[in-house]
Amino acid sequence: MAATLHIYNHQSVEPVCLEWWQKVAEAALPLCQAETKSSLVPLVSLDEIEFSLVSDDSIARIHGDFMDDPTPTDVITFHH
């Protein structure tokens, strides 16, 4: 069963249309899963994946709060 993908925009400006991001994520997920080398990798068994689009200031704050590094980053992964 494929994971359910959720895309959220938390920016004050509208990014490239969310439908486009949804299509990209849906196309990329099976490719990423196919590259996993172990069935123990969480990506192959997730029921749900969330993508949140945020500003540089927001990601820097989150990075600082959770990773003790107050610089912007491209990706942060949280296991729920």
Side-chain angles (χ1 to χ4, degrees), residues 2 9 16-17 19 23 27 37 61 64 78 80:
N9 177 28
V16 176
C17 88
E19 292 81 15
K23 288 179 184 176
K37 305 299 181 209
R61 188 183 76 254
F78 294 98
H80 294 280

Side-chain angles (χ1 to χ4, degrees), residues 5-79:
L5 298 170
H6 302 280
I7 312 280
Y8 298 102
N9 177 28
H10 298 284
Q11 300 180 84
S12 58
V13 296
E14 190 67 28
V16 176
C17 88
L18 292 179
E19 292 81 15
W20 181 84
W21 282 107
Q22 183 78 30
K23 288 179 184 176
V24 169
E26 288 171 355
L29 180 59
L31 300 173
C32 293
Q33 289 173 322
E35 290 297 315
T36 61
K37 305 299 181 209
S38 167
S39 62
L40 301 177
V41 174
L43 184 60
V44 298
S45 61
L46 292 175
D47 294 327
E48 194 169 56
I49 298 172
E50 176 184 321
F51 293 91
S52 290
L53 305 170
V54 299
S55 69
D56 284 346
D57 290 341
S58 293
I59 199 69
R61 188 183 76 254
I62 294 165
H63 199 204
D65 290 350
F66 290 94
M67 312 295 183
D68 202 27
D69 179 351
T71 60
T73 185
D74 292 335
V75 174
I76 295 179
T77 303
F78 294 98
H79 297 276

